[in-house]
Amino acid sequence: MSNIQNSKAYQYINDFMYFILKPDKSSKGAFIYCSGVNLTLFLPITKGRHRPMSNPAMRGLQLVNIGVRDMALSSGATPKAVPGINCTDIVPVMDGWFTERLLIENAPDSLPDEMISYCVINLLKKIFNAIYVLQVELPDTLLAPDELQVFIDGLCRKFGS
């Protein structure tokens, strides 16, 4: 199993969410994982359609990040919650964002691409599983960031009140 050697950043960004994996120069085969979901933009679909005290977009991102840790461990990498990880140079700084980040060490080459796809698809599944009154057919494959933004925006317009 080879480790990530290059300086390539992997990213998926639109107005609703972002998942970014960027190489960490402190260690060979390590990268910083930054993720976020715009709670404000998801409100037209989430507001009033879930159990109290549980925002589906926030909870969805938390559950996806648990999955990311599991993926890392299963591939032989080591995920670490490290205070002070800096994602501010690559993430939105506007209000309404819930964010999480990790340091992942000893990552195999295949992990970043697998992780991005997993994160995007599963975030949507987690959000819509928590919204008990909407039955929406979600894409099974990873759409381009702008295509997914149009899809989610359409749902917000359709189901927003």
Side-chain angles (χ1 to χ4, degrees):
M1 174 183 339
S2 64
N3 288 348
I4 297 169
Q5 303 291 321
N6 64 26
S7 60
K8 178 181 177 185
Y10 299 81
Q11 60 185 26
Y12 190 98
I13 303 170
N14 64 32
D15 290 347
F16 289 90
M17 68 186 73
Y18 66 83
F19 296 97
I20 301 169
L21 298 124
K22 68 176 187 172
D24 181 35
K25 296 176 184 12
S26 69
S27 173
K28 184 175 163 183
F31 61 88
I32 296 171
Y33 163 80
C34 302
S35 61
V37 64
N38 190 315
L39 302 177
T40 305
L41 289 182
F42 271 105
L43 277 177
I45 357 178
T46 60
K47 187 175 181 182
R49 293 189 173 106
H50 55 86
R51 292 169 187 80
M53 304 296 290
S54 177
N55 181 299
M58 180 185 297
R59 186 68 180 139
L61 187 64
Q62 291 169 333
L63 292 172
V64 164
N65 287 335
I66 290 169
V68 164
R69 290 171 187 261
D70 185 51
M71 285 180 77
L73 289 169
S74 296
S75 71
T78 306
K80 293 181 179 181
V82 180
I85 292 177
N86 186 3
C87 294
T88 57
D89 60 331
I90 54 174
V91 299
V93 292
M94 302 170 294
D95 290 333
W97 286 92
F98 175 72
T99 62
E100 293 204 0
R101 47 201 158 277
L102 291 174
L103 174 66
I104 300 177
E105 299 177 320
N106 294 323
D109 291 338
S110 61
L111 189 60
D113 284 327
E114 291 170 14
M115 201 172 278
I116 294 287
S117 182
Y118 166 84
C119 290
V120 174
I121 290 170
N122 282 283
L123 177 61
L124 287 179
K125 287 180 182 178
K126 305 273 186 225
I127 291 171
F128 282 93
N129 282 340
I131 302 170
Y132 54 86
V133 295
L134 296 182
Q135 300 299 318
V136 175
E137 190 168 327
L138 299 173
D140 286 332
T141 58
L142 184 63
L143 299 177
D146 57 336
E147 292 174 321
L148 185 61
Q149 181 168 316
V150 168
F151 175 77
I152 298 170
D153 190 51
L155 293 176
C156 287
R157 278 186 270 108
K158 180 178 179 180
F159 295 111
S161 50

